[in-house]
Amino acid sequence: MKLTRLLQIAMKSLEKTETAVNIKAPWGNLTALTWGDALNPPVLLCPGRMEPCTAFRPLVLRLPNSFFYVALDLPGNGSSDTLPLGVRFSVQDLVPSVLTVVEYYKWKNFIFIGHSLGAAIGK
């Protein structure tokens, strides 16, 4: 089977597993999209300041289906609730969003992929 055909099969299988998730945070709700089997090694995807988690969809659908992908909507992006009034929107103030997802899934280890501000949060 050609590599292109194998990629198309993998993409379709991940596409069919896309699920919206709502995660309780101390300040409200975080939303995310997941792809794949939750028993597979986890990959957390964190977007930039102005991007919703759906921005990762074209990338995820080209990645191996042997991982569990979770793309997070940062507070105030996509469908996630905003941070409370008075809380800055800085890297340090957004780290708890990532930790909330990690605690929700009870991950000990995971791969982190960040874009723009998401990369700084991951550092």
Side-chain angles (χ1 to χ4, degrees):
M1 204 179 276
K2 291 184 178 180
L3 182 58
T4 306
R5 180 70 183 134
L6 289 173
L7 284 172
Q8 288 172 341
I9 292 168
M11 287 169 60
K12 284 188 192 252
S13 65
L14 276 177
E15 189 173 55
K16 290 178 182 178
T17 66
E18 183 175 300
T19 305
V21 178
N22 196 20
I23 300 169
K24 283 283 184 205
W27 60 89
N29 293 308
L30 290 170
T31 56
L33 287 177
T34 68
W35 296 269
D37 185 340
L39 297 176
N40 287 339
V43 177
L44 179 57
L45 302 127
C46 188
R49 167 66 181 100
M50 301 300 287
E51 293 175 309
C53 64
T54 55
F56 280 109
R57 186 180 287 131
L59 171 66
V60 168
L61 296 180
R62 286 168 176 74
L63 293 174
N65 60 4
S66 55
F67 292 90
F68 177 59
Y69 302 97
V70 178
L72 169 67
D73 269 333
L74 290 173
N77 286 1
S79 299
S80 286
D81 291 337
T82 59
L83 291 171
L85 286 177
V87 176
R88 298 176 322 227
F89 200 89
S90 69
V91 171
Q92 292 84 0
D93 297 315
L94 294 171
V95 169
S97 301
V98 170
L99 295 176
T100 298
V101 174
V102 171
E103 291 168 5
Y104 176 82
Y105 284 105
K106 298 176 176 52
W107 293 337
K108 299 280 188 236
N109 297 301
F110 61 97
I111 296 167
F112 186 91
I113 298 174
H115 173 259
S116 190
L117 178 62
I121 294 167
K123 284 180 155 183

